[in-house]
Amino acid sequence: FVLDDEEKVMYDDGKTSKTVDFCRSNSRMKFGIEVNFYTSSGSKPTEIKRSYGQVNQQMEKVNTLLVWVTDGIGYLDMKKSLKEARDIHKNIYNLSMLKEDFEKDVIAVLKQ
């Protein structure tokens, strides 16, 4: 499973975009992957959690699924925030989940 490097995904307004860290696409859809690792808890991870919910809504309009990979020691103290992130953004993985489940999850989505 090979991912392409950074790619700009244009929103349906034709003006706004989001550059994702990695991308994978086929003729039906695109997967934009954002990767964040935190060494401390605080406002930055919380703000990103909120903004990715909005980004995901915009990307779905252009047939792109936003996948958020987030991990790091900073989240050890942020269990409540991670639960909220999961409620807002369903396609969230930590590094272990990514290694274990991501490829089969992508295949399942593409088979739908």
Side-chain angles (χ1 to χ4, degrees), residues 50-112:
R50 278 192 290 266
S51 72
Y52 280 0
Q54 296 167 349
V55 169
N56 195 40
Q57 289 174 350
Q58 293 299 318
M59 288 187 149
E60 284 178 349
K61 293 177 184 178
V62 293
N63 210 28
T64 302
L65 183 67
L66 178 65
V67 176
W68 181 22
V69 180
T70 186
D71 209 330
I73 197 163
Y75 272 120
L76 293 177
D77 296 329
M78 297 183 69
K79 290 188 188 335
K80 180 182 177 202
S81 185
L82 282 175
K83 185 195 177 311
E84 291 170 359
R86 186 73 173 164
D87 292 341
I88 293 168
H89 186 72
K90 302 298 182 202
N91 304 308
I92 186 171
Y93 293 81
N94 65 24
L95 188 56
S96 176
M97 293 164 61
L98 182 76
K99 290 176 181 176
E100 181 86 16
D101 301 321
F102 182 68
E103 189 170 354
K104 69 182 176 198
D105 289 351
V106 168
I107 291 168
V109 167
L110 293 174
K111 286 183 176 180
Q112 293 178 358

Side-chain angles (χ1 to χ4, degrees), residues 9-20:
V9 178
M10 294 300 296
Y11 292 168
D12 66 340
D13 66 5
K15 301 175 197 167
T16 314
S17 66
K18 168 70 176 150
T19 300
V20 293

Side-chain angles (χ1 to χ4, degrees), residues 16-27:
T16 314
S17 66
K18 168 70 176 150
T19 300
V20 293
D21 295 327
F22 301 97
C23 191
R24 179 70 181 167
S25 60
N26 69 10
S27 60

